[in-house]
Amino acid sequence: MSNLFLGLDCSTQSLTGVIIDFDSSKVIYRESINFNKELPHYNTQNGIVVLDDEKIVHSYPLMWIEALELLFDRFIKKNVQIKNIKAISGSGQQHGTVYLNKRFEPTLKNLTPDDSISNQLVGCFSRKTSPIWMDSSTTKQCEEIRNSLGGLEATIKITGSNIFERFSGPQIRKFYQKDPHNYEKTTIIHLVSSFMASILLGKNAPIDHGDGAGMNLMNIKTKIWDGHALEATSQNLKEKLPSLVNSYDVIGNISPYLVKKYGFDPRTILIAWSGDNPNSLIGVGLIDKGRVAISLGTSDTYFGYLKDLYLDLNGEGHVFGAPTGDYMSLICYKNGSLAREKIKEQFNLDWNNFSEILNKTPPGNYGKIMLPYFFPEIVPLVLNPKVYRFGLDDDDLEGNVRAIIESQFLSMRLHSEWIKEKPEEIHATGGASANKEILQIAANIFNAKIRQFELTESAALGAALRSAKSYYDSIENEKDWQEIIQNFIAIQDTILIKPEEKYITLYNDMLELYKKCENFVLKDGKDPEPFHKKFITKYFSS
Ligand code: XUL
C-alpha cells in the first residue's frame, strides 16, 4: 500500500490540493477550485469582496471552507485513495485574520455528516469577512503600534518586520477600535492557515512560527507571543490567540466528521499549517544558503532561506520562520499577477500574444519605463495607486507589455539588495513562472540562472512534502530535509534558463535609471530625464 501525503493551499484566488506518493516520487493528483468560477454565489472578484474603498480588501472565510468541501467531493468522484493519505498539511495566504465567536469550537466538535461544514458554521463568526494581505487600510494603526514599540528599529528587532498595513496586528487593532462590541464577542482570532487547519482538526488549531511571524505579534527571537506587541495592539489579545508551535509539529488526527463523510483513515495525522511563502520555500527546494526563489502569483515575492536571523533594519523586507525551524527572508509586491493582467486586459491579449511581444521587443525597451502601481504597493510603500510612465505612451501596446515585466523585476532587484548574498540560481514558481519569456527577462535582469519547475503549485507541494517529513519522523523512520528535497527534485521536471551576458551592462544601467525614476516620483528626487536621454542614446541610437 502506498503512502500518500496531501498538501492544501488556500490562496487568494483558489484552493489547491496536491497529493504525492512519496515512495514512488510521483504527484498522483492535483486539483484547484477557483473561487470566482466555482463559487460564484459569493460574488467575489479574484477571490476578493468588492468594495468602494480600494484600500479595504476582505474575503469570505466560509467560501474557503466551501471550496475545501468541493475539493473533497472531487476526491470521491475521481476515486482518490483517500484511505491511504497518511498525513496532511497546508498553506494559507499570509497575514489574513478570521474572527470567531464562542460557538465556533463546540460546533466544530459536534458537526453532523448530514449537513455541510460551511452550513453548520454560519453562526460562528464575530466578523463575517476577513481582512487579507491586500488590505492597506490600517496606516493609522501601524503608526500607533510602531510608536508604542519604540519606533522602526525596535519594532523590527522585536517582530522581524516593520509594522505593515496588511499584517495581522494592525488589522486586529483596527477591528478592536472600530467595532469594540464584536471584538469583545470574539473568542478566537485565527490566521487563514490555522483556521483551515482547525476545520480539518475539528477543534482550534495552533499557529506555526512561519505564519506567526507575519503578524507583528510574535517575538522573532524567542518565537513566543510578545507581551509588548500584544499590549500595543488590543485588549485581552493573548486569550484570543491560538498557541504557537513549530511548523513541523503534529497537531492531532483528522476530525471524525471528515472520517465519516469522506472516508479518511482516522489515523491520518495533521501537521501545523503555515503561510504560502514558508511552504513554497520547501516546495521549490530551498533548504540551504545561497539560493533564492521568486514566486509570481497574485503577489510576487522574493525569498530565501536563512540559517541565522538576519533583519532588514530599513524595514522593507521581512523575516519569517522557515518550516525547517530556521528562518527565511521575504519581500512582497502587491502588483504581481493582477498588474500583469491589467495590461493583458487593456490590450485584449492572451498569454501567447503576451509572450510573442516579449520575444520581439528588445531588452531595455527603448528606455520605456513604467512604475506599475496599479494597486497600492507594499515595496516601495505606495498607498495611493497610480501608474507612472517615462517615455512610454498609455496606448503603446508593445512598450507597455515589456515595461510591466521589466519594471517588476527591476523593482525586485532594487529592493532585494539588503539580502546581501547575490543569488547564483533563482528558483521560480507561481502561475506566471510557466512563461519562459518572462523568466528570461528575470534571468537577464538579475544576471542569474533561473530554474523553472514543471509544477507551479509550490505552496501545496511544499505542504505535502512537509507532511511526509513529519509523518516519517513520527513513526521513527526519520528522513532529513535533504532526502525530502531529493524526492521533490525527482518529482519535478526542471529547466534552467541562463542569463544572456550581452545584457548585463544594459540592465545595470537600467536599474540605475529605474531607481532615479522611483526616487523622483516617491521621494521628490532629481528629474531623471537627463539620465534617461543618456540611456536611450547609449543603447538605442543607431
Ligand atoms: C507575504 C504576502 C503575500 C501573501 C499572498 O508577506 O503578503 O505573499 O502571502 O498569498
Side-chain angles (χ1 to χ4, degrees):
M1 196 178 72
S2 45
N3 287 334
L4 304 184
F5 298 96
L6 167 62
L8 295 160
D9 175 31
C10 185
S11 77
T12 317
Q13 305 195 45
S14 56
L15 181 104
T16 300
V18 167
I19 300 179
I20 59 172
D21 177 339
F22 194 83
D23 305 314
S24 65
S25 301
K26 283 207 172 69
V27 172
I28 61 153
Y29 186 74
R30 52 207 261 216
E31 177 89 43
S32 232
I33 308 288
N34 180 286
F35 301 139
N36 269 12
K37 285 192 200 125
E38 307 216 36
L39 299 165
H41 47 286
Y42 284 95
N43 211 2
T44 60
Q45 220 174 61
N46 301 310
I48 295 161
V49 182
V50 185
L51 295 168
D52 289 338
D53 183 344
E54 59 184 354
K55 284 196 181 141
I56 304 179
V57 185
H58 285 216
S59 187
Y60 294 109
L62 266 183
M63 176 176 76
W64 306 329
I65 305 179
E66 238 185 283
L68 184 70
E69 299 187 284
L70 211 55
L71 184 78
F72 288 160
D73 289 341
R74 298 264 160 93
F75 282 10
I76 307 259
K77 258 199 214 128
K78 307 248 172 95
N79 290 322
V80 171
Q81 300 298 302
I82 296 181
K83 267 234 142 37
N84 293 352
I85 296 177
K86 293 284 183 285
I88 307 175
S89 188
S91 142
Q93 48 171 312
Q94 296 198 251
H95 318 297
T97 35
V98 185
Y99 300 75
L100 298 137
N101 61 31
K102 60 175 192 244
R103 280 150 70 185
F104 178 60
E105 199 169 47
T107 311
L108 209 47
K109 284 185 175 160
N110 293 300
L111 290 173
T112 138
D114 306 332
D115 200 355
S116 67
I117 309 177
S118 40
N119 272 346
Q120 294 179 74
L121 289 184
V122 169
C124 299
F125 295 85
S126 52
R127 193 180 191 183
K128 212 170 127 203
T129 59
S130 289
I132 61 161
W133 67 277
M134 294 175 84
D135 190 284
S136 51
S137 66
T138 61
T139 305
K140 170 179 169 280
Q141 289 76 17
C142 288
E143 272 162 25
E144 291 165 354
I145 299 174
R146 193 181 302 114
N147 289 340
S148 304
L149 292 183
L152 177 71
E153 202 169 312
T155 301
I156 296 170
K157 285 185 176 157
I158 296 171
T159 74
S161 298
N162 186 8
I163 310 289
F164 278 89
E165 276 74 3
R166 72 191 191 286
F167 273 42
S168 322
Q171 294 290 345
I172 293 171
R173 182 166 179 78
K174 185 176 156 198
F175 184 56
Y176 159 72
Q177 290 178 335
K178 296 251 145 112
D179 193 354
H181 175 70
N182 282 316
Y183 176 80
E184 188 65 37
K185 289 205 159 149
T186 304
T187 49
I188 190 140
I189 303 175
H190 273 295
L191 287 179
V192 178
S193 57
S194 61
F195 172 66
M196 294 302 282
S198 306
I199 304 300
L200 294 184
L201 191 60
K203 58 181 186 195
N204 282 314
I207 288 179
D208 86 302
H209 296 148
D211 221 10
M215 300 176 79
N216 287 136
L217 294 174
M218 186 186 92
N219 187 299
I220 196 68
K221 291 193 193 94
T222 58
K223 298 183 178 169
I224 56 176
W225 296 126
D226 187 88
H228 290 123
L230 295 178
E231 240 170 69
T233 302
S234 61
Q235 245 174 20
N236 305 328
L237 184 52
K238 179 109 187 263
E239 61 199 51
K240 297 183 197 289
L241 291 174
S243 54
L244 283 163
V245 293
N246 298 305
S247 315
Y248 45 77
D249 283 351
V250 175
I251 57 171
N253 292 88
I254 191 142
S255 83
Y257 174 94
L258 294 171
V259 171
K260 273 194 218 121
K261 181 113 184 191
Y262 298 103
F264 282 95
D265 182 333
R267 288 167 300 182
T268 305
I269 55 167
L270 301 177
I271 319 305
W273 282 43
S274 189
D276 50 359
N277 293 295
N279 274 291
S280 285
L281 192 77
I282 301 302
V284 295
L286 296 190
I287 51 156
D288 231 328
K289 290 204 307 202
R291 299 242 166 116
V292 299
I294 51 178
S295 168
L296 308 176
T298 310
S299 64
D300 281 354
T301 55
Y302 178 100
F303 56 88
Y305 166 88
L306 292 175
K307 179 80 206 136
D308 303 303
L309 184 59
Y310 177 77
L311 300 166
D312 172 23
L313 294 180
N314 289 323
E316 281 188 345
H318 319 301
V319 175
F320 297 147
T324 51
D326 308 308
Y327 290 101
M328 66 181 286
S329 54
L330 178 128
I331 308 163
C332 178
Y333 304 84
K334 202 183 284 182
N335 285 278
S337 70
L338 297 181
R340 289 183 283 275
E341 271 159 32
K342 283 263 181 205
I343 293 292
K344 176 177 151 270
E345 277 154 25
Q346 182 191 333
F347 294 104
N348 227 336
L349 305 170
D350 60 26
W351 290 118
N352 286 335
N353 311 137
F354 206 89
S355 296
E356 279 159 23
I357 294 169
L358 292 179
N359 258 329
K360 69 177 187 202
T361 44
N365 205 16
Y366 306 104
K368 297 172 186 176
I369 298 257
M370 180 193 288
L371 303 186
Y373 314 132
F374 290 89
F375 304 92
E377 184 49 83
I378 300 163
V379 177
L381 185 64
V382 178
L383 290 171
N384 296 312
K386 182 170 171 192
V387 177
Y388 300 88
R389 291 176 169 87
F390 294 82
L392 171 65
D393 292 332
D394 284 16
D395 59 355
D396 172 353
L397 187 161
E398 295 187 352
N400 277 281
V401 166
R402 181 164 270 277
I404 177 78
I405 302 300
E406 285 189 337
S407 66
Q408 286 176 327
F409 291 121
L410 286 167
S411 176
M412 214 179 241
R413 179 171 154 192
L414 184 63
H415 294 280
S416 62
E417 277 170 350
W418 67 276
I419 304 174
K420 294 273 173 338
E421 267 177 76
K422 188 191 158 329
E424 277 172 23
E425 188 174 306
I426 300 177
H427 291 196
T429 182
S433 71
N435 184 316
K436 273 210 199 63
E437 287 72 23
I438 291 182
L439 293 192
Q440 184 62 61
I441 294 178
N444 288 347
I445 289 183
F446 281 101
N447 185 23
K449 289 175 260 168
I450 306 264
R451 191 169 290 278
Q452 182 193 39
F453 297 97
E454 178 216 19
L455 200 92
T456 56
E457 297 105 335
S458 60
L461 176 63
L465 290 164
R466 290 202 303 114
S467 65
K469 161 92 174 119
S470 295
Y471 171 77
Y472 288 116
D473 289 355
S474 79
I475 58 163
E476 284 164 21
N477 175 12
E478 284 186 31
K479 297 191 188 299
D480 61 20
W481 281 107
Q482 195 51 47
E483 209 176 326
I484 299 284
I485 296 304
Q486 263 160 18
N487 187 291
F488 139 81
I489 302 268
I491 287 176
Q492 290 265 46
D493 255 352
T494 72
I495 295 174
L496 203 59
I497 296 170
K498 298 206 180 92
E500 297 167 286
E501 251 184 59
K502 56 185 174 198
Y503 299 123
I504 297 179
T505 338
L506 178 142
Y507 277 126
N508 285 343
D509 287 347
M510 199 174 187
L511 185 72
E512 219 24 64
L513 172 60
Y514 186 87
K515 191 172 170 180
K516 287 191 170 18
C517 295
E518 202 189 90
N519 282 343
F520 176 64
V521 167
L522 301 178
K523 294 188 187 149
D524 282 333
K526 276 205 230 140
D527 186 350
E529 211 31 52
F531 195 83
H532 194 195
K533 278 205 183 102
K534 255 205 236 158
F535 179 82
I536 297 172
T537 316
K538 182 165 173 191
Y539 294 104
F540 296 102
S541 64
S542 48

